[in-house]
């Protein structure tokens, strides 16, 4: 999942599937995360799902592509 956003904006990424819990690279253990990256370019987040038996899923990636706000001189 990729979201193109402008500097200063935020975006919500949501994991889905058969897992009972999802752990994001931000440290949050939740289905969705809301991020407001401050670095221009590609900001990559990953999520790993866990089943009720403790089995781990493949890693899925979410990307926020941040474009700097233009300036006027």
């Amino acid at each position: 999942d990729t979201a193109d956003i402008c500097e200063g904006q935020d975006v919500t990424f949501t994991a889905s599937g058969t897992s009972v819990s999802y752990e994001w690279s931000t440290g949050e253990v939740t289905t969705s995360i809301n991020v407001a990256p401050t670095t221009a370019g590609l900001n990559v987040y990953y999520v790993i799902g866990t089943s009720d038996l403790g089995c781990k899923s493949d890693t899925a990636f979410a990307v926020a592509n941040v474009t700097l706000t233009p300036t006027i001189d």
Side-chain angles (χ1 to χ4, degrees):
D1 196 16
T2 300
D4 294 318
I5 61 173
C6 293
E7 180 182 26
Q9 292 181 322
D10 63 332
V11 63
T12 299
F13 293 113
T14 301
S16 62
T18 59
S19 298
V20 295
S21 70
Y22 299 92
E23 183 173 358
W24 292 86
S25 54
T26 59
E28 296 173 79
V29 179
T30 183
T31 303
S32 298
I33 59 168
N34 184 273
V35 293
T38 57
T39 304
L42 301 178
N43 292 262
V44 179
Y45 304 90
Y46 65 84
V47 61
I48 298 173
T50 303
S51 73
D52 57 351
L53 296 175
C55 300
K56 302 282 185 184
S57 71
D58 289 335
T59 302
F61 295 92
V63 178
N65 184 21
V66 179
T67 301
L68 292 176
T69 304
T71 58
I72 300 174
D73 295 328

